[in-house]
Amino acid sequence: MKKIFKLSSIALLLILGVSCSEDEQVIATPAGAPELLNPESGAAYVLAPENASNDLLTLVWDHADYSVQTVVNYELQVAISGSDFATPISAGTTTNRYYTWKVQDLNSVALAAGLTPFTAGDVDVRVKSTLGSNNAQIAYSNVVTLTITAYSTDLPKVFVIGNFLDASGYGSDWSPAATLPALAASEFGKTDFEGYVYMNVASPEFKVLPTNTSFDGDFGDDGTFSGTLVQTGESNILLSAPGYYLIKANTGAVTGANPSGLTYSTTPTSWAITGSATPLGWPDGGVVDQNMTYNSSTKKWEITIALTAGGNQFKFRANDAWEINYGDEGNDGVLEFNNGNNLSVPADGTYFVQLDLSNPRNYTWSATLQ
Protein backbone atom coordinates (compact mmCIF):
# COMPACT_ATOMS: atom_id res chain seq x y z
CA MET A 1 0.00 0.00 0.00
CA LYS A 2 2.81 2.42 0.79
CA LYS A 3 4.38 1.79 -2.61
CA ILE A 4 1.07 2.42 -4.37
CA PHE A 5 0.62 5.67 -2.41
CA LYS A 6 4.13 6.84 -3.28
CA LEU A 7 3.65 6.15 -7.00
CA SER A 8 0.31 7.98 -6.98
CA SER A 9 1.89 10.94 -5.22
CA ILE A 10 4.73 11.15 -7.77
CA ALA A 11 2.24 11.07 -10.67
CA LEU A 12 0.19 13.84 -9.08
CA LEU A 13 3.30 15.99 -8.59
CA LEU A 14 4.29 15.46 -12.24
CA ILE A 15 0.83 16.53 -13.44
CA LEU A 16 0.88 19.60 -11.20
CA GLY A 17 4.40 20.43 -12.45
CA VAL A 18 3.32 20.28 -16.06
CA SER A 19 0.27 22.40 -15.31
CA CYS A 20 2.36 25.03 -13.59
CA SER A 21 4.86 25.08 -16.46
CA GLU A 22 2.03 25.64 -18.97
CA ASP A 23 0.54 28.39 -16.81
CA GLU A 24 3.87 30.21 -16.77
CA GLN A 25 4.37 30.34 -20.62
CA VAL A 26 5.06 33.89 -21.80
CA ILE A 27 2.84 35.24 -24.60
CA ALA A 28 4.46 38.03 -26.63
CA THR A 29 2.43 41.18 -27.04
CA PRO A 30 3.33 44.41 -28.87
CA ALA A 31 4.07 46.67 -25.96
CA GLY A 32 5.48 49.36 -28.28
CA ALA A 33 5.34 49.91 -32.06
CA PRO A 34 8.45 50.73 -34.14
CA GLU A 35 9.27 54.41 -34.51
CA LEU A 36 10.44 55.67 -37.92
CA LEU A 37 13.33 58.05 -37.25
CA ASN A 38 14.67 58.77 -40.74
CA PRO A 39 13.74 60.32 -43.15
CA GLU A 40 11.88 63.27 -41.76
CA SER A 41 8.40 64.03 -42.97
CA GLY A 42 8.39 66.60 -45.77
CA ALA A 43 11.63 65.44 -47.43
CA ALA A 44 11.55 65.71 -51.23
CA TYR A 45 13.31 63.57 -53.85
CA VAL A 46 13.57 64.10 -57.61
CA LEU A 47 14.46 60.78 -59.24
CA ALA A 48 16.34 60.35 -62.53
CA PRO A 49 16.93 57.20 -64.64
CA GLU A 50 20.66 57.89 -65.02
CA ASN A 51 21.00 57.42 -61.24
CA ALA A 52 18.81 54.32 -61.09
CA SER A 53 21.36 52.03 -59.39
CA ASN A 54 22.57 54.62 -56.85
CA ASP A 55 21.70 54.34 -53.15
CA LEU A 56 19.19 57.11 -52.39
CA LEU A 57 17.81 56.83 -48.88
CA THR A 58 18.40 54.71 -45.79
CA LEU A 59 15.32 54.41 -43.59
CA VAL A 60 16.03 53.96 -39.87
CA TRP A 61 13.56 53.07 -37.10
CA ASP A 62 13.57 52.25 -33.41
CA HIS A 63 12.77 48.66 -32.52
CA ALA A 64 9.28 47.32 -31.87
CA ASP A 65 8.88 46.21 -28.24
CA TYR A 66 7.21 42.81 -27.92
CA SER A 67 7.97 42.32 -24.20
CA VAL A 68 10.17 39.31 -25.01
CA GLN A 69 13.59 38.89 -26.64
CA THR A 70 12.83 37.63 -30.15
CA VAL A 71 13.51 38.36 -33.82
CA VAL A 72 11.11 40.92 -35.28
CA ASN A 73 10.11 41.07 -38.96
CA TYR A 74 9.84 44.53 -40.52
CA GLU A 75 8.12 45.56 -43.76
CA LEU A 76 8.32 49.00 -45.35
CA GLN A 77 4.94 50.12 -46.66
CA VAL A 78 4.15 53.00 -49.04
CA ALA A 79 0.79 54.45 -50.12
CA ILE A 80 -0.57 57.57 -51.76
CA SER A 81 -0.67 60.30 -49.14
CA GLY A 82 -4.00 60.58 -47.39
CA SER A 83 -5.26 57.14 -48.47
CA ASP A 84 -4.85 55.72 -44.95
CA PHE A 85 -2.89 52.82 -46.49
CA ALA A 86 -6.02 51.36 -48.08
CA THR A 87 -3.83 49.62 -50.68
CA PRO A 88 -0.24 49.69 -49.34
CA ILE A 89 2.72 48.81 -51.54
CA SER A 90 5.37 46.58 -49.99
CA ALA A 91 8.70 48.39 -50.34
CA GLY A 92 11.11 45.97 -48.67
CA THR A 93 11.40 43.48 -45.81
CA THR A 94 14.17 42.95 -43.25
CA THR A 95 14.91 41.87 -39.67
CA ASN A 96 17.24 44.84 -39.25
CA ARG A 97 16.18 48.30 -38.09
CA TYR A 98 17.28 50.00 -41.29
CA TYR A 99 16.68 49.58 -45.00
CA THR A 100 18.28 51.29 -48.02
CA TRP A 101 16.32 52.26 -51.11
CA LYS A 102 18.09 52.70 -54.43
CA VAL A 103 16.72 55.29 -56.84
CA GLN A 104 15.10 52.59 -58.97
CA ASP A 105 13.54 50.97 -55.88
CA LEU A 106 11.78 54.11 -54.73
CA ASN A 107 10.81 54.95 -58.30
CA SER A 108 9.14 51.57 -58.80
CA VAL A 109 7.32 51.85 -55.49
CA ALA A 110 6.15 55.41 -56.20
CA LEU A 111 4.78 54.42 -59.62
CA ALA A 112 3.10 51.33 -58.17
CA ALA A 113 1.49 53.49 -55.50
CA GLY A 114 0.00 55.67 -58.23
CA LEU A 115 2.22 58.71 -58.72
CA THR A 116 2.37 60.29 -62.20
CA PRO A 117 5.86 60.28 -63.77
CA PHE A 118 7.67 63.63 -63.88
CA THR A 119 5.10 65.21 -61.56
CA ALA A 120 5.78 65.77 -57.86
CA GLY A 121 3.43 63.81 -55.59
CA ASP A 122 3.19 62.79 -51.95
CA VAL A 123 3.43 59.29 -50.52
CA ASP A 124 3.08 58.08 -46.94
CA VAL A 125 5.65 55.67 -45.51
CA ARG A 126 5.39 53.46 -42.43
CA VAL A 127 7.02 50.39 -40.88
CA LYS A 128 4.98 47.28 -40.14
CA SER A 129 6.36 44.87 -37.52
CA THR A 130 5.35 41.24 -36.95
CA LEU A 131 6.60 38.10 -35.18
CA GLY A 132 7.31 34.64 -36.55
CA SER A 133 6.68 32.95 -39.86
CA ASN A 134 2.93 33.53 -39.57
CA ASN A 135 3.45 37.30 -39.11
CA ALA A 136 1.58 37.48 -35.82
CA GLN A 137 1.23 40.45 -33.45
CA ILE A 138 1.14 43.28 -36.02
CA ALA A 139 2.19 46.78 -35.02
CA TYR A 140 2.67 49.93 -37.14
CA SER A 141 5.07 52.84 -36.82
CA ASN A 142 4.38 56.52 -37.15
CA VAL A 143 3.74 57.79 -40.72
CA VAL A 144 6.24 59.92 -42.65
CA THR A 145 5.19 61.82 -45.80
CA LEU A 146 7.66 62.19 -48.68
CA THR A 147 7.36 64.23 -51.88
CA ILE A 148 8.55 62.18 -54.84
CA THR A 149 9.06 63.10 -58.48
CA ALA A 150 9.22 59.73 -60.20
CA TYR A 151 10.28 58.99 -63.78
CA SER A 152 9.29 56.57 -66.50
CA THR A 153 11.47 55.01 -69.18
CA ASP A 154 8.42 53.60 -70.99
CA LEU A 155 7.17 55.61 -73.93
CA PRO A 156 3.44 56.47 -73.79
CA LYS A 157 1.39 54.22 -76.06
CA VAL A 158 -1.97 54.01 -77.80
CA PHE A 159 -3.33 50.92 -79.52
CA VAL A 160 -4.82 50.00 -82.89
CA ILE A 161 -7.93 47.85 -83.09
CA GLY A 162 -9.91 46.75 -86.13
CA ASN A 163 -11.13 44.11 -88.54
CA PHE A 164 -7.61 43.01 -89.50
CA LEU A 165 -6.38 41.57 -86.19
CA ASP A 166 -7.21 37.90 -86.70
CA ALA A 167 -5.91 37.71 -90.28
CA SER A 168 -2.70 39.52 -89.29
CA GLY A 169 -1.71 37.55 -86.19
CA TYR A 170 -2.75 40.06 -83.50
CA GLY A 171 -5.73 38.27 -81.92
CA SER A 172 -9.49 38.51 -82.36
CA ASP A 173 -11.00 41.27 -84.50
CA TRP A 174 -12.27 44.32 -82.60
CA SER A 175 -11.31 42.79 -79.24
CA PRO A 176 -9.22 44.85 -76.77
CA ALA A 177 -6.31 42.68 -75.61
CA ALA A 178 -2.65 42.79 -74.64
CA THR A 179 -1.76 41.60 -78.16
CA LEU A 180 -3.07 44.75 -79.90
CA PRO A 181 -0.43 46.50 -82.05
CA ALA A 182 0.80 49.70 -80.40
CA LEU A 183 1.86 53.19 -81.43
CA ALA A 184 4.38 55.03 -79.23
CA ALA A 185 5.05 58.71 -78.58
CA SER A 186 8.53 60.19 -78.85
CA GLU A 187 8.73 60.84 -75.09
CA PHE A 188 6.64 61.10 -71.95
CA GLY A 189 4.08 63.90 -72.21
CA LYS A 190 4.08 63.88 -76.03
CA THR A 191 1.12 62.80 -78.16
CA ASP A 192 2.96 62.17 -81.45
CA PHE A 193 2.26 58.44 -81.66
CA GLU A 194 3.64 56.23 -84.43
CA GLY A 195 4.12 52.57 -85.22
CA TYR A 196 3.97 49.92 -87.92
CA VAL A 197 0.90 47.66 -88.25
CA TYR A 198 0.32 44.74 -90.62
CA MET A 199 -3.21 44.66 -92.03
CA ASN A 200 -3.79 41.49 -94.02
CA VAL A 201 -7.39 42.06 -95.18
CA ALA A 202 -8.75 43.49 -98.43
CA SER A 203 -10.38 46.56 -96.86
CA PRO A 204 -8.83 47.36 -93.46
CA GLU A 205 -10.82 49.31 -90.87
CA PHE A 206 -9.46 50.47 -87.52
CA LYS A 207 -9.68 52.84 -84.56
CA VAL A 208 -7.12 54.10 -82.05
CA LEU A 209 -7.59 53.26 -78.36
CA PRO A 210 -6.01 55.02 -75.34
CA THR A 211 -5.64 51.60 -73.64
CA ASN A 212 -5.69 47.98 -74.76
CA THR A 213 -8.38 47.03 -72.25
CA SER A 214 -11.53 48.84 -73.48
CA PHE A 215 -13.02 51.17 -76.09
CA ASP A 216 -13.24 54.05 -73.61
CA GLY A 217 -12.03 57.27 -75.24
CA ASP A 218 -11.53 55.67 -78.66
CA PHE A 219 -10.44 57.80 -81.63
CA GLY A 220 -11.82 57.50 -85.15
CA ASP A 221 -12.30 59.50 -88.31
CA ASP A 222 -14.52 62.61 -88.37
CA GLY A 223 -16.33 61.27 -91.41
CA THR A 224 -14.39 63.22 -94.02
CA PHE A 225 -11.55 60.67 -94.21
CA SER A 226 -9.09 63.51 -94.61
CA GLY A 227 -6.86 62.63 -91.64
CA THR A 228 -8.78 64.22 -88.74
CA LEU A 229 -9.34 62.30 -85.50
CA VAL A 230 -12.38 62.73 -83.23
CA GLN A 231 -13.64 60.99 -80.11
CA THR A 232 -17.34 61.75 -80.46
CA GLY A 233 -19.47 60.57 -83.38
CA GLU A 234 -16.40 59.00 -84.95
CA SER A 235 -16.29 56.57 -87.88
CA ASN A 236 -13.90 53.70 -88.42
CA ILE A 237 -10.76 54.73 -90.30
CA LEU A 238 -10.95 53.05 -93.72
CA LEU A 239 -8.12 51.85 -95.96
CA SER A 240 -8.45 50.56 -99.50
CA ALA A 241 -5.88 47.76 -99.56
CA PRO A 242 -3.96 45.33 -97.36
CA GLY A 243 -0.43 46.27 -96.38
CA TYR A 244 2.21 47.01 -93.79
CA TYR A 245 1.33 50.52 -92.67
CA LEU A 246 3.24 53.24 -90.88
CA ILE A 247 0.48 54.80 -88.78
CA LYS A 248 0.86 58.18 -87.11
CA ALA A 249 -1.73 59.60 -84.72
CA ASN A 250 -1.58 62.86 -82.79
CA THR A 251 -4.10 62.64 -79.97
CA GLY A 252 -3.28 65.98 -78.30
CA ALA A 253 -5.09 69.31 -78.21
CA VAL A 254 -8.44 67.96 -77.02
CA THR A 255 -10.06 71.11 -75.61
CA GLY A 256 -13.79 70.86 -75.00
CA ALA A 257 -15.58 70.62 -78.32
CA ASN A 258 -12.51 71.80 -80.24
CA PRO A 259 -10.58 68.83 -81.61
CA SER A 260 -8.09 70.90 -83.59
CA GLY A 261 -4.72 69.23 -83.81
CA LEU A 262 -6.04 65.67 -83.71
CA THR A 263 -4.68 64.07 -86.86
CA TYR A 264 -3.66 60.73 -88.32
CA SER A 265 -1.86 59.41 -91.39
CA THR A 266 -1.37 55.97 -92.93
CA THR A 267 1.52 55.10 -95.24
CA PRO A 268 1.82 51.63 -96.81
CA THR A 269 5.42 50.40 -96.75
CA SER A 270 7.40 47.61 -98.35
CA TRP A 271 10.94 47.17 -97.08
CA ALA A 272 14.30 46.48 -98.69
CA ILE A 273 18.03 46.57 -98.01
CA THR A 274 20.26 48.67 -100.25
CA GLY A 275 23.88 49.78 -100.37
CA SER A 276 27.41 49.04 -101.51
CA ALA A 277 27.52 45.92 -99.31
CA THR A 278 24.71 44.36 -101.38
CA PRO A 279 25.18 42.71 -104.78
CA LEU A 280 23.50 45.61 -106.65
CA GLY A 281 25.14 48.51 -104.77
CA TRP A 282 23.61 51.88 -103.91
CA PRO A 283 20.62 53.04 -105.94
CA ASP A 284 21.72 55.13 -108.89
CA GLY A 285 18.88 56.13 -111.14
CA GLY A 286 17.03 52.81 -111.36
CA VAL A 287 15.39 50.73 -108.62
CA VAL A 288 18.04 48.32 -107.34
CA ASP A 289 16.87 47.63 -103.78
CA GLN A 290 17.06 44.09 -102.44
CA ASN A 291 13.45 43.41 -101.44
CA MET A 292 12.69 41.80 -98.09
CA THR A 293 9.78 39.50 -97.21
CA TYR A 294 7.44 40.05 -94.25
CA ASN A 295 7.11 37.09 -91.87
CA SER A 296 3.75 37.34 -90.08
CA SER A 297 4.82 34.73 -87.49
CA THR A 298 7.92 36.60 -86.32
CA LYS A 299 6.49 40.02 -87.31
CA LYS A 300 9.83 40.82 -88.95
CA TRP A 301 11.03 41.61 -92.47
CA GLU A 302 13.60 39.06 -93.64
CA ILE A 303 16.09 38.39 -96.43
CA THR A 304 18.99 36.01 -97.01
CA ILE A 305 21.63 37.93 -98.96
CA ALA A 306 25.35 38.04 -99.78
CA LEU A 307 26.99 41.02 -98.04
CA THR A 308 30.53 42.32 -98.28
CA ALA A 309 32.57 44.00 -95.55
CA GLY A 310 35.73 46.06 -95.88
CA GLY A 311 34.13 49.50 -95.77
CA ASN A 312 30.99 48.52 -97.69
CA GLN A 313 27.73 49.60 -96.11
CA PHE A 314 23.95 49.40 -96.42
CA LYS A 315 20.65 50.77 -95.10
CA PHE A 316 17.01 49.78 -94.82
CA ARG A 317 14.50 51.86 -96.77
CA ALA A 318 10.81 51.70 -97.69
CA ASN A 319 9.12 51.88 -101.06
CA ASP A 320 12.33 52.16 -103.10
CA ALA A 321 12.78 55.74 -101.87
CA TRP A 322 14.63 57.70 -99.18
CA GLU A 323 11.63 59.35 -97.48
CA ILE A 324 11.54 56.54 -94.92
CA ASN A 325 14.87 54.91 -94.14
CA TYR A 326 16.78 53.66 -91.11
CA GLY A 327 20.44 53.53 -90.13
CA ASP A 328 22.20 52.59 -86.91
CA GLU A 329 24.15 55.05 -84.77
CA GLY A 330 26.93 53.02 -83.17
CA ASN A 331 26.05 49.78 -84.98
CA ASP A 332 24.34 48.54 -81.78
CA GLY A 333 21.34 46.90 -83.41
CA VAL A 334 18.96 49.79 -82.64
CA LEU A 335 17.80 51.80 -85.66
CA GLU A 336 17.42 55.55 -86.07
CA PHE A 337 15.05 57.23 -88.53
CA ASN A 338 16.68 58.80 -91.59
CA ASN A 339 20.23 60.14 -91.42
CA GLY A 340 21.30 57.30 -89.12
CA ASN A 341 24.75 55.89 -89.73
CA ASN A 342 25.05 53.30 -92.47
CA LEU A 343 25.14 49.64 -91.43
CA SER A 344 27.90 47.11 -91.97
CA VAL A 345 28.88 43.51 -91.32
CA PRO A 346 32.24 42.32 -89.94
CA ALA A 347 33.07 39.83 -92.72
CA ASP A 348 32.05 38.85 -96.23
CA GLY A 349 29.42 36.14 -96.41
CA THR A 350 25.81 35.15 -96.82
CA TYR A 351 23.65 36.65 -94.07
CA PHE A 352 20.14 36.15 -92.78
CA VAL A 353 19.03 39.75 -92.19
CA GLN A 354 15.98 40.69 -90.10
CA LEU A 355 14.32 44.08 -89.72
CA ASP A 356 12.03 44.32 -86.68
CA LEU A 357 9.60 47.27 -86.72
CA SER A 358 7.04 45.63 -84.41
CA ASN A 359 8.09 47.57 -81.28
CA PRO A 360 7.08 51.20 -81.86
CA ARG A 361 10.03 53.64 -81.75
CA ASN A 362 12.33 50.81 -80.72
CA TYR A 363 13.18 49.42 -84.14
CA THR A 364 15.99 46.86 -84.40
CA TRP A 365 17.89 44.73 -86.91
CA SER A 366 20.20 41.74 -86.98
CA ALA A 367 22.44 40.00 -89.52
CA THR A 368 23.36 36.36 -88.87
CA LEU A 369 26.14 34.77 -90.90
CA GLN A 370 24.92 31.55 -92.53
Side-chain angles (χ1 to χ4, degrees):
M1 291 295 293
K2 287 182 180 180
K3 288 183 179 180
I4 293 174
F5 175 77
K6 286 181 180 179
L7 290 173
S8 299
S9 299
I10 292 171
L12 178 60
L13 289 173
L14 288 172
I15 292 171
L16 290 174
V18 170
S19 299
C20 290
S21 175
E22 290 178 350
D23 289 342
E24 291 174 0
Q25 285 183 347
V26 178
I27 299 176
T29 57
E35 181 183 0
L36 190 52
L37 304 175
N38 186 70
E40 295 183 354
S41 195
Y45 301 90
V46 178
L47 312 181
E50 58 268 25
N51 302 322
S53 61
N54 293 353
D55 289 345
L56 175 71
L57 169 64
T58 297
L59 298 97
V60 180
W61 56 92
D62 200 358
H63 66 86
D65 185 1
Y66 279 93
S67 71
V68 294
Q69 294 297 318
T70 186
V71 175
V72 181
N73 306 313
Y74 295 105
E75 178 188 17
L76 278 300
Q77 293 188 331
V78 175
I80 286 291
S81 186
S83 66
D84 199 27
F85 290 89
T87 54
I89 305 299
S90 180
T93 58
T94 182
T95 56
N96 298 318
R97 283 181 284 162
Y98 58 89
Y99 192 91
T100 299
W101 280 335
K102 294 183 180 297
V103 169
Q104 60 194 4
D105 298 333
L106 182 54
N107 190 71
S108 297
V109 167
L111 293 177
L115 292 191
T116 301
F118 308 108
T119 301
D122 291 343
V123 295
D124 291 338
V125 181
R126 71 182 181 185
V127 180
K128 174 184 176 181
S129 64
T130 58
L131 291 181
S133 59
N134 60 348
N135 294 320
Q137 302 297 333
I138 296 173
Y140 294 104
S141 75
N142 56 311
V143 175
V144 168
T145 300
L146 306 179
T147 300
I148 307 296
T149 303
Y151 63 85
S152 175
T153 57
D154 294 332
L155 295 177
K157 290 183 175 65
V158 294
F159 302 89
V160 179
I161 195 168
N163 69 340
F164 63 90
L165 296 174
D166 182 60
S168 308
Y170 296 114
S172 300
D173 290 348
W174 297 109
S175 297
T179 54
L180 290 183
L183 315 178
S186 58
E187 61 184 69
F188 194 87
K190 299 289 188 179
T191 58
D192 55 343
F193 297 97
E194 74 161 49
Y196 290 89
V197 181
Y198 180 51
M199 298 187 178
N200 190 29
V201 292
S203 300
E205 300 183 21
F206 71 94
K207 283 187 172 183
V208 177
L209 304 182
T211 73
N212 58 12
T213 57
S214 76
F215 276 88
D216 293 347
D218 60 327
F219 294 87
D221 192 276
D222 68 348
T224 68
F225 302 102
S226 59
T228 299
L229 287 175
V230 292
Q231 287 182 293
T232 303
E234 72 280 358
S235 301
N236 293 341
I237 298 171
L238 307 179
L239 300 175
S240 60
Y244 190 82
Y245 286 88
L246 169 60
I247 298 177
K248 296 184 178 183
N250 194 322
T251 62
V254 180
T255 308
N258 178 16
S260 62
L262 278 74
T263 60
Y264 73 90
S265 66
T266 57
T267 304
T269 64
S270 182
W271 286 88
I273 181 175
T274 188
S276 60
T278 71
L280 297 179
W282 290 108
D284 185 15
V287 176
V288 292
D289 289 356
Q290 310 286 292
N291 292 332
M292 306 181 76
T293 301
Y294 182 71
N295 186 326
S296 59
S297 297
T298 63
K299 296 183 171 58
K300 298 176 183 180
W301 290 86
E302 301 172 344
I303 187 173
T304 299
I305 187 172
L307 297 175
T308 56
N312 293 302
Q313 299 175 326
F314 60 92
K315 269 191 165 185
F316 298 105
R317 71 174 190 166
N319 306 332
D320 299 321
W322 288 113
E323 282 75 15
I324 306 175
N325 72 87
Y326 290 101
D328 185 352
E329 301 286 350
N331 219 39
D332 60 359
V334 178
L335 295 168
E336 287 78 34
F337 179 70
N338 289 349
N339 300 320
N341 286 353
N342 294 337
L343 314 170
S344 63
V345 291
D348 296 352
T350 298
Y351 286 84
F352 177 58
V353 180
Q354 292 182 302
L355 171 64
D356 187 355
L357 303 175
S358 64
N359 298 311
R361 294 189 184 273
N362 185 27
Y363 310 129
T364 59
W365 72 284
S366 64
T368 305
L369 186 62
Q370 300 302 287

